[in-house]
Amino acid sequence: MRFHLLLVLLAGLGALSSAAILQNGQLRDDPYPGQAAIVSLLTNPAFKVYPPNASEISYKGRWDSRYTSWWSAPGLKFGFTGDNVALSFGQYTDQAVLVAYRVDGQDWQFSNVSANATYQFITPSTTGVNLTTPANATQTFELRVTNWAYGVQLASVWTSAAGRLVKIPDYPLAIEVIGDSLSAGQYATYEGISSYSWGLGEGFGNVEFSITAYPGICLHDSQCYGNLHGQTYQWLRTSDTSYRAIQQWGSAPELWNFAAHPAANIVIINLGTNDNNTANNVTSDQYFNSYIQLINEVHSVWPAAQIILISLWNGFSAVGNTYQQGGAFVQEIQQVYEYFNNGTAGDSGFVHYFNTTGIFQHNDIGPLYHPTDVGHVKLASHLMQYIKLEFGWVFAATGPEVQHGEFSFLIRFVPSGQIMLGEGLGGQRGIAR
């Protein structure tokens, strides 16, 4: 029996709903369910409207003062009564951004949205609406931007005229992931919401999380693969290093207001793969000193946060008749860890080291040098266990899906002619004979 890697054929980053997802050479049925209809509500008496600064709306991840989203998997969440919800998107929304959305614990649905349009995501016929709750009870609506390269600008939220928005309290714990393409979900099936960062934060079930990660970015503040700055600079800003950020904010991006948002309890740092590439000319000393700088920046704004340094796996190569994992800045990351525990910074105990060796195997890395969906799930699962054992966090997810499309059946034909069913992994579908 052999499983093939998930392959995603992209028809353009901004129009993922027109792309095909292949699994074992077969098209995945309906990979983007839930396309929302464009509606005109300005004079519709059946709806009421809320501005983007309504106190009932909770923004997840980083959004600027114009209510435009940035980085990987940003989103919004609110409670609502009634059976209609629509969102209007402003001029800074990119063309055909793929968003994921859901009601309460229903499976994720997907829709493309564009600027200067209103989309109705919830209607009386939407699966889950008033399914198990009495009339006028509060249900939860959540939306996430899946495309790391693109963003949306929220202009307004619409509900039924007799309905209302309701503030959903934040969870008591929070995780921040600071990274590059490996953390942003580049080349994963649903990008941001297929990443290990997403699996880690969403997987706990009772944790707020933000993924401040962007492909190609270095830790050191230098130009890397078109990114004008590294994370020692950009992490302190609201927007990422994308071209659209330069178009909107030029050379003066907004500073992120840490005091206005809940502090992270745990910060995951997974940076250095781009610094390690000779094309970017980052030296060992520059990397080491920049890592110290970033940790000090994190510690200054969140002095109670525990910081976890992720070792870099850096791919696999064939060695003789087997495979061997590579590595990058192995000594430098260890030295950073020791600096904050046994070196000049003293034994403060807030910096930890997570070794990824042995978690991935060569087929967990796709042909474009990034983890497959299965690889992302494996890393997220190991990180969850580490945090549970190290810090006493509990798994509070109760059943709603985390990664969409990560379930299928395998059909096995046995000599007697009976058909045996078994669960598959990673959204893979195959036949064993």
Side-chain angles (χ1 to χ4, degrees), residues 3-7 22-25 363-367 372 428:
F3 297 123
H4 297 278
L5 296 176
L6 275 175
L7 298 178
L22 297 183
Q23 45 196 28
N24 285 2
N363 60 327
D364 294 320
I365 307 300
T372 63
Q428 301 172 4

Side-chain angles (χ1 to χ4, degrees), residues 8 21 48-49 59 71 100 134 142 162 182 193 197 199 203 242 256 360 397:
V8 181
I21 296 179
K48 70 169 60 170
V49 63
Y59 290 91
W71 302 93
E142 184 175 5
L182 302 173
I193 68 165
S197 310
S242 60
W256 180 243
F360 295 113

Side-chain angles (χ1 to χ4, degrees), residues 57-380:
I57 303 172
S58 296
Y59 290 91
K60 310 300 181 181
R62 296 200 178 185
W63 296 68
D64 64 25
S65 60
R66 299 169 178 163
Y67 303 98
T68 302
S69 66
W70 301 98
W71 302 93
S72 180
L76 54 86
K77 188 176 183 179
F78 53 79
F80 68 95
T81 63
D83 49 18
N84 290 284
V85 171
L87 274 62
S88 296
F89 296 97
Q91 63 176 321
Y92 294 114
T93 302
D94 288 299
Q95 178 69 24
V97 181
L98 185 69
V99 298
Y101 68 96
R102 67 178 174 187
V103 175
D104 289 336
Q106 292 292 313
D107 287 352
W108 290 99
Q109 305 292 295
F110 296 87
S111 181
N112 294 104
V113 301
S114 296
N116 303 316
T118 299
Y119 296 80
Q120 186 164 357
F121 293 93
I122 305 299
T123 71
S125 61
T126 299
T127 301
V129 172
N130 297 325
L131 182 64
T132 59
T133 54
N136 298 320
T138 299
Q139 295 190 274
T140 301
F141 177 84
E142 184 175 5
L143 178 143
R144 294 280 180 163
V145 179
T146 71
N147 305 134
W148 51 262
Y150 297 147
V152 301
Q153 180 190 32
L154 184 66
S156 56
V157 175
W158 305 76
T159 68
S160 302
R164 60 189 177 92
L165 293 185
V166 179
K167 178 73 172 181
I168 301 296
D170 288 338
Y171 293 120
L173 298 172
I175 291 176
E176 169 86 1
V177 179
I178 309 174
D180 49 33
S181 59
L182 302 173
S183 302
Q186 187 175 20
Y187 304 126
T189 300
Y190 296 104
E191 298 193 70
I193 68 165
S194 293
S195 69
Y196 81 85
S197 310
W198 171 268
L200 171 66
E202 190 73 14
F204 270 106
N206 62 346
V207 170
E208 301 294 335
F209 60 94
S210 180
I211 307 172
T212 314
Y214 195 83
I217 197 169
C218 282
L219 166 63
H220 181 62
D221 188 21
S222 61
Q223 293 191 30
C224 295
Y225 297 119
N227 297 287
L228 298 182
H229 287 283
Q231 284 286 29
T232 53
Y233 172 91
Q234 206 68 37
W235 184 72
L236 300 173
R237 271 71 187 174
T238 302
S239 54
D240 51 43
T241 51
S242 60
Y243 176 68
R244 70 185 184 96
I246 297 173
Q247 287 181 306
Q248 294 184 36
W249 292 105
S251 60
E254 289 184 334
L255 291 172
W256 180 243
N257 187 353
F258 290 94
H261 300 86
N265 302 95
I266 289 177
V267 178
I268 309 290
I269 304 178
N270 185 0
L271 284 166
T273 300
N274 295 315
D275 302 74
N276 188 65
N277 194 301
T278 55
N280 295 316
N281 297 316
V282 177
T283 67
S284 174
D285 286 344
Q286 288 174 326
Y287 178 77
F288 174 83
N289 291 326
S290 294
Y291 221 139
I292 300 295
Q293 178 184 343
L294 180 61
I295 291 174
N296 283 330
E297 289 172 352
V298 172
H299 192 57
S300 67
V301 296
W302 295 326
Q306 301 296 309
I307 301 173
I308 301 173
L309 315 182
I310 304 292
S311 73
L312 306 177
W313 53 88
N314 212 38
F316 290 79
S317 57
V319 177
N321 62 353
T322 186
Y323 292 87
Q324 183 174 316
Q325 181 176 332
F329 291 126
V330 176
Q331 292 183 345
E332 289 82 356
I333 297 175
Q334 285 280 359
Q335 290 168 354
V336 170
Y337 166 68
E338 293 168 0
Y339 177 89
F340 285 98
N341 283 278
N342 301 309
T344 57
D347 189 14
S348 53
F350 68 91
V351 176
H352 310 267
Y353 177 76
F354 181 81
N355 191 353
T356 61
T357 303
I359 294 176
F360 295 113
Q361 309 309 319
H362 82 93
N363 60 327
D364 294 320
I365 307 300
L368 295 175
Y369 310 109
H370 289 66
T372 63
D373 287 3
V374 173
H376 280 293
V377 170
K378 290 173 69 174
L379 181 55

Side-chain angles (χ1 to χ4, degrees), residues 376-386 395:
H376 280 293
V377 170
K378 290 173 69 174
L379 181 55
S381 299
H382 281 274
L383 276 169
M384 288 176 65
Q385 287 288 352
Y386 174 81
F395 298 159

